Amino acid sequence: MRRALVALVPGALLLLAACGGAPPAADAGVPEPGGTLRHAISTWPTCLDPALSGGRLFTVPEQIGETLTGQAADGTIVPRLADSWEIADGGRTYTFHLRPGVTFADGTAVDAGVVAQNLTALVALNAAGKSDTLTRNALNSFTGSEVLDPATIRLHFGLPELGFLRNASDPYLTIWSAGTAALPADRRCAGELVGSGPFAIQNVTRNQRVDLVKRPEHGWSRPELGEHEGPAYLDAITYEVVPESGVRVGGLLSGQFDVIDDVPVADQESVRAAGGSVVLGTVPNLVPGIYHNPYSPLGGDLAVRKAILLAIDRTEIRDTVYGPGYEVPTGEVARNTPLFTDLSSQLRHDPAAAAAILDQAGWTPGPDGVRVKDGVRLEPRLTYVAGSTRGATQQDLELVQQQLRPVGIAVQLVPQTAAEASADLADVSKARFDFASGAGAGKDVDFLIGLFRSTNPRLGGFANPGLEAAADALDTATDDASRAAAAAALQRYIVDDAQWIPVREATRAYAAEARVHGYRVDPYAQSVFHDTWLQQ
Amino acid sequence: MSRRSALANGGYGRYLARRAVQGVFVLWAAFTLSFVVLYLMPSDPVSIMLNATGDGVGVDPAAVAALRAEHHLDSPLVVQYLFALGDAVRGDFGTSIPTGEPVSRLIAEALPQTLQLTALSFVLAVVFGGGLALLSTSTGWRPLRQALLSLPPLGVSVPTFWVGLILLQVFSFRAQLFPATGNAGFPALVLPAITLAVPTGAVFAQVLAKNLAAAWRSPYVETARAKGLGRTRIQLRHALRNGSIPVLTIIGITVGQMLAGAVVVETVFSRNGIGRLTEESVAAQDIPVIQGLVVLSALVFVLVNLVVDAIYPLVDPRIGRLERRRVARTEEVPA
């Protein structure tokens, strides 16, 4: 929901490389209103509501709903449904002043009462276990709200919630109409969503298509988010689920679709050759990488972890498996994640240092080059979910395997099903893996707290006082300065202790036909169509 | 069926009743077997739902416990089985675990699409597979016959996936004659139906051609020829009728092949049917939906085979007569 006209903000923090030509948003020319944009999407989410499990990061809520705050391209928080706000009690009280004259697609007004209803509904969904982990975390200490007047609402939290303004910009805190807020989870999931955005849902056919129509009365877009004034240019947007990537690309090249998502690297060149553009967006998260099983002797060996961290050549992975428009990871979290800390020197490719660390720890090269210590060969089992592109993929890991071999680490790659992987996570102390591939959904660095505390099933209660203390420090920070310092310290601890070994940046690739103008992706790497227009 | 009506309908009724009872047993076995297999798998649908790809690392144990309780995944296996069986008998397969939608609604939404697809591809398979077999055995020109007979093995061996992509490339992306995706209308049905018909039609053609060839070498064809009947008349009146019995048997098996093929075809052509639903629910280990689909597939199998069994005696009276003789034997005992 954070609009960002990237072409107008060169050098923006969020690097949306539109490779092989000018970014589509940079087209000169007067926008031509009208037309229907046809968008082929690869998957249908289990839920269309971003607040609920399985609904995060789907493109439709972006177009139909709005949030209290917005996130500009450079990551700053700007007004959206709220014109202004005050924070009191060290982050325990937030007062939002709502913008007047904003309506939902059903004609009702966006007022303090409906905001309160939305929050009450989310608390109930949280309690029922229906919501996404991030929704739950955001409202963890929320104790209630008061409607001061129709345009003013005050939220109360039991703990300092310094990240709440950013949480309030995330799609999961989209403010829906009173009718939507009153619906049970399954109907919200099925797409009965009425929001205040520039488009409204006209029709949803599960697992097949969504039709959106323009709201001509929408005139409250925010220039701070890079949006033009007035309603959207497009009359309608049609989303169609096309699971097969070859069919999406073929459909784009033959003019059956205007925009497609999840474009394979191998097809990006043919899209550009046909005059289309490829738009890459970096997803803010804990980057796809490798984590260890703290109960396994090899995974628990800090020297082994540090050696792997240094022996991986991330630039080679980027160049071999991906392409020049993709980023090389420079930290534990994606660089567009708020409070990101640059750790590129710790993530350098240094096989000599890796070898030295292993030598020092007593891992000596055996006759076949694989290191041995106390009769144990350095052959860690690394599990990954076959076919999944969320963590480090099979292709990434095969290259990692090659890169680690000269250092004397013979990684055994073990493909798993999603079921086997989640069974492993249910009890890591009994699971037979030394390392595993993964990634962590995130927004603010706050999510690192939950991911690296020993209560996370992934860590299986394994005590690591240093990590726990670093996570606690971020959790209990009471002002922005100490929060930033604690966030940086936690990220440093994670890399120094090799608690997470980054492999690549998570990147979403979209392609647009030549006649599509003003198309861009937001800081969550989601398509934004408010400013998009079609050359007739 | 009462004794009186069984007698009134003769052996044919008894024959069908026996097949129907077998069908019910097949349904129960399919349900039970799939239930056991699904519950023996590692992990559970709730953990998978909260961690869709398995490689996310932020699953909340409290949410897992709450959802497990909601779907009774925490009760003993036998209790879960009996509840599920009781509901299934009443046609209630529960709700999908990730979406909360009733299984019956999900299946009802998807079924018409798949029925259209399989019905059209079945017709195409019979027409073109049968036509190919008739043509290859009718033609006297050897090179043409050899060429035609080499097509079925080719049709069986090329992957459905590949055929679909080639058809899309040629008839949708290049020629733009048919839409590449979707469920809307007849044009969107053509390419998927052809794709699905290729392996099925190839099997029909293969089996029918072989049996026609055998029929042509049999004594009754000699007799017919000696009586001075024409080649076409012998082919259609005598050889085809005898040669089609094995094809009838194959049809029962083919239905399963088509349901399996629908998984691939519906994915390639972005059609929303039973195949796509199967693929998704298996990925999500969505046990209620998978159970519903297994029982549905078993039901389709049972019904098709029941129809085939009902047709056998009409095509080949010897089959019904054998059954009648067996029935007569069993009825002699109480008498």
Side-chain angles (χ1 to χ4, degrees), chain B:
Chain B
M1 192 180 277
S2 74
R3 192 185 168 90
R4 178 184 285 266
S5 68
L7 287 174
N9 289 338
Y12 189 57
R14 184 58 81 91
Y15 163 78
L16 285 186
R18 201 205 199 65
R19 290 284 184 274
V21 171
Q22 284 172 353
V24 171
F25 174 77
V26 168
L27 286 181
W28 170 80
F31 180 85
T32 305
L33 206 64
S34 62
F35 185 90
V36 171
V37 167
L38 287 169
Y39 277 86
L40 285 179
M41 281 173 70
S43 191
D44 62 75
V46 166
S47 316
I48 293 175
M49 164 188 170
L50 294 175
N51 184 10
T53 51
D55 45 9
V57 290
V59 181
D60 185 337
V64 173
L67 282 167
R68 280 179 62 89
E70 186 187 321
H71 292 279
H72 309 293
L73 292 173
D74 50 357
S75 19
L77 191 61
V78 178
V79 176
Q80 290 186 49
Y81 171 73
L82 290 177
F83 271 112
L85 186 62
D87 288 343
V89 168
R90 293 196 301 273
D92 176 7
F93 288 90
T95 55
S96 156
I97 290 176
T99 66
E101 283 185 79
V103 173
S104 48
R105 196 207 300 165
L106 289 174
I107 290 181
E109 271 174 21
L111 193 58
Q113 312 300 338
T114 307
L115 282 182
Q116 286 174 12
L117 174 67
T118 46
L120 182 59
S121 50
F122 183 77
V123 170
L124 291 174
V126 168
V127 170
F128 287 96
L132 187 73
L134 285 175
L135 197 63
S136 70
T137 43
S138 303
T139 181
W141 191 41
R142 207 179 149 78
L144 178 62
R145 184 160 68 218
Q146 290 302 326
L148 287 174
L149 285 177
S150 66
L151 287 178
L154 187 70
V156 173
S157 49
V158 289
T160 313
F161 182 79
W162 184 80
V163 173
L165 286 179
I166 294 291
L167 288 176
L168 274 175
Q169 193 65 39
V170 175
F171 296 104
S172 181
F173 299 152
R174 296 256 167 88
Q176 309 232 353
L177 295 173
F178 299 101
T181 59
N183 293 355
F186 186 73
L189 193 60
V190 175
L191 295 183
I194 294 175
T195 310
L196 192 56
V198 167
T200 321
V203 171
F204 286 170
Q206 179 91 338
V207 173
L208 187 60
K210 192 163 179 289
N211 285 289
L212 285 177
W216 273 97
R217 289 191 298 271
S218 61
Y220 65 82
V221 170
E222 287 292 303
T223 314
R225 269 182 164 165
K227 279 161 70 180
L229 292 180
R231 206 181 158 81
T232 316
R233 198 176 156 84
I234 294 175
Q235 174 84 299
L236 296 179
R237 292 276 317 214
H238 299 279
L240 182 60
R241 186 160 176 162
N242 278 290
S244 58
I245 297 272
V247 176
L248 221 48
T249 310
I250 292 280
I251 286 176
I253 301 163
T254 306
V255 170
Q257 204 183 37
M258 284 189 141
L259 285 177
V263 175
V264 175
V265 170
E266 288 176 355
T267 303
V268 170
F269 290 93
S270 319
R271 289 180 64 83
N272 190 26
I274 293 291
R276 274 273 292 290
L277 189 62
T278 307
E279 189 258 324
E280 273 166 36
S281 46
V282 167
Q285 211 171 318
D286 191 349
I287 294 178
V289 182
I290 301 176
Q291 287 257 269
L293 290 168
V294 166
V295 173
L296 174 77
S297 311
L299 185 67
V300 170
F301 251 105
V302 165
L303 288 179
V304 168
N305 281 295
L306 212 54
V307 170
V308 169
D309 284 345
I311 295 175
Y312 274 144
L314 307 180
V315 178
D316 187 345
R318 284 173 299 177
I319 296 175
R321 230 177 277 137
L322 272 175
E323 188 74 16
R324 269 199 291 280
R325 218 172 292 149
R326 195 154 57 205
V327 170
R329 258 206 314 279
T330 51
E331 297 204 334
E332 274 164 18
V333 180

